[in-house]
Amino acid sequence: MGALDLHLDFASAQHGQAKLKEYAKSSLLSDGNYNTDKINGSNPDDYEKFEKGIMHYGCPHYRRRCRIRAPCCNEIFDCRHCHNETKNSIKIDKMKRHELPRHEVQQVVCSLCGTEQEVRQVCINCGVCMGKYFCGLCKLFDDDVSKQQYHCNGCGICRIGGRENFFHCSKCGCCYSIALKNSHACVEGAMHHDCPICFEYLFDSTNDVSVLPCGHTIHVKCLKEMEEHCQFACPLCSKSVCDMSKAWERLDMELATLSDSCDHKMVRILCNDCGAISDVQFHLIAHKCQNCKSYNTRQI
């Protein structure tokens, strides 16, 4: 999924991993969990066959030992991201640009023997495991299980970071860090929109996402860029993105040293943080909310 990041801890994972002589293939259950069955676990030759080429194939997005045939254009790509980067390029005619529907992938090509086959974890020809992590719903293969991949039924896609570290919020419609379970502000469909800064769709973005105190979401890198330009208000609702109390105290002291020639002029303000309406003395620099003492206000 101040602004609490959904930084994903790429700690060492055990999900989908196999031990020597007990290498297992994954079969997806109806609840999105994975069951393991031994595959000739007593034969070291089988282990070597399954491990052959591991981490030596793939693309910048995934380490995997297969490629996929895109159901939309019938072309072969290393992964859906490679497809989307190619087919959404500015070099492509605008009317022909499209994204790959991940759940509709039907065919994969083994990277070791070149055999094209229906989506499965183990190659029907050479017997190599095409991805230590495998999701039959998302058609996802990945040998780098340190990402701690898991399938979320609520989101309908695979996520990384470890199932035990995240929870799915039904109202927000996405997975958040377990640290936010009882403290985040629910916003319906919070991640089902574009980042308000870079306009990339947030729900399945590969970049880290921050959940603001107001409940809105934004890329971590975009939030940092905002802070570098002294922008501390949510681009969507204008609420403060972090605790600004110290900044308001400094502003109090600075304003106290400034003379004001409009002592008798009153204005009505709306506080962006608490929503209170106040009548305050006009000032050229800023107006302070009488309810929460914030300077994040606007004149109405």
Side-chain angles (χ1 to χ4, degrees):
M1 233 149 77
L4 294 175
D5 313 347
L6 293 184
H7 282 142
L8 304 177
D9 241 346
F10 295 142
S12 184
Q14 296 184 7
H15 178 76
Q17 204 156 1
K19 297 179 181 178
L20 182 61
K21 296 185 181 182
E22 294 181 356
Y23 200 97
K25 64 180 177 181
S26 301
S27 57
L28 186 63
L29 302 179
S30 59
D31 62 355
N33 293 319
Y34 293 85
N35 190 20
T36 55
D37 299 315
K38 292 183 181 180
I39 305 177
N40 299 325
S42 59
N43 190 343
D45 292 337
D46 291 321
Y47 176 81
E48 292 178 6
K49 180 169 62 176
F50 275 83
E51 291 284 281
K52 185 178 180 181
I54 189 169
M55 301 300 285
H56 292 163
Y57 295 86
C59 62
H61 310 105
Y62 301 107
R63 295 283 87 193
R64 50 169 39 158
R65 285 163 282 176
C66 68
R67 307 179 76 198
I68 60 175
R69 182 175 290 280
C72 44
C73 54
N74 203 36
E75 296 181 34
I76 296 176
F77 294 88
D78 285 323
C79 74
R80 68 180 183 90
H81 296 296
C82 293
H83 169 280
N84 294 343
E85 289 172 2
T86 301
K87 294 301 182 179
N88 280 325
S89 168
I90 58 175
K91 298 178 182 179
I92 301 296
D93 184 283
K94 191 173 183 180
M95 299 301 294
K96 295 181 179 180
R97 296 176 192 172
H98 65 279
E99 294 196 352
L100 186 151
R102 72 178 84 185
H103 299 98
E104 297 178 17
V105 173
Q106 299 295 325
Q107 298 289 120
V108 297
V109 179
C110 176
S111 297
L112 276 75
C113 70
T115 302
E116 186 165 349
Q117 56 203 283
E118 292 184 355
V119 172
R120 54 187 291 137
Q121 188 177 18
V122 179
C123 177
I124 57 174
N125 181 47
C126 66
V128 72
C129 176
M130 293 184 283
K132 272 193 171 184
Y133 176 83
F134 168 69
C135 176
L137 293 177
C138 297
K139 315 301 192 294
L140 177 62
F141 300 78
D142 200 346
D143 279 330
D144 184 8
V145 292
S146 66
K147 298 175 183 176
Q148 295 183 273
Q149 303 93 330
Y150 68 97
H151 181 87
C152 173
N153 286 328
C155 291
I157 61 175
C158 289
R159 297 200 176 277
I160 59 176
R163 187 186 300 276
E164 68 281 3
N165 298 318
F166 292 86
F167 75 100
H168 181 84
C169 177
S170 299
K171 183 174 182 180
C172 295
C174 52
C175 286
Y176 285 159
S177 168
I178 200 72
L180 296 174
K181 190 167 187 177
N182 299 315
S183 60
H184 77 286
C186 280
V187 173
E188 191 166 354
M191 276 202 208
H192 293 263
H193 62 80
D194 297 338
C195 173
I197 302 300
C198 69
F199 303 111
E200 180 189 4
Y201 190 55
L202 289 171
F203 181 69
D204 56 3
S205 173
T206 56
N207 296 311
D208 292 342
V209 176
S210 282
V211 183
L212 304 179
C214 58
H216 292 124
T217 50
I218 185 175
H219 281 131
V220 170
K221 63 177 183 179
C222 294
L223 180 61
K224 290 180 178 178
E225 287 182 13
M226 282 177 52
E227 293 172 348
E228 288 171 0
H229 290 84
C230 299
Q231 299 295 319
F232 299 101
C234 172
L236 298 176
C237 67
S238 297
K239 291 182 181 293
S240 297
V241 299
C242 57
D243 182 7
M244 297 292 290
S245 56
K246 297 297 182 181
W248 304 150
E249 290 175 6
R250 289 196 298 271
L251 191 52
D252 275 337
M253 293 186 288
E254 291 178 12
L255 294 182
T257 63
L258 300 176
S259 59
D260 192 348
S261 58
C262 305
D263 291 341
H264 303 295
K265 183 177 180 179
M266 301 295 289
V267 293
R268 179 160 291 184
I269 62 170
L270 170 68
C271 179
N272 293 324
D273 285 335
C274 71
I277 296 177
S278 310
D279 291 315
V280 299
Q281 189 178 46
F282 175 79
H283 199 287
L284 291 172
I285 306 298
H287 300 114
K288 185 176 183 177
C289 173
Q290 299 301 297
N291 181 52
C292 68
K293 311 306 178 186
S294 168
Y295 279 99
N296 183 14
T297 62
R298 68 180 75 182
Q299 190 172 333
I300 58 175

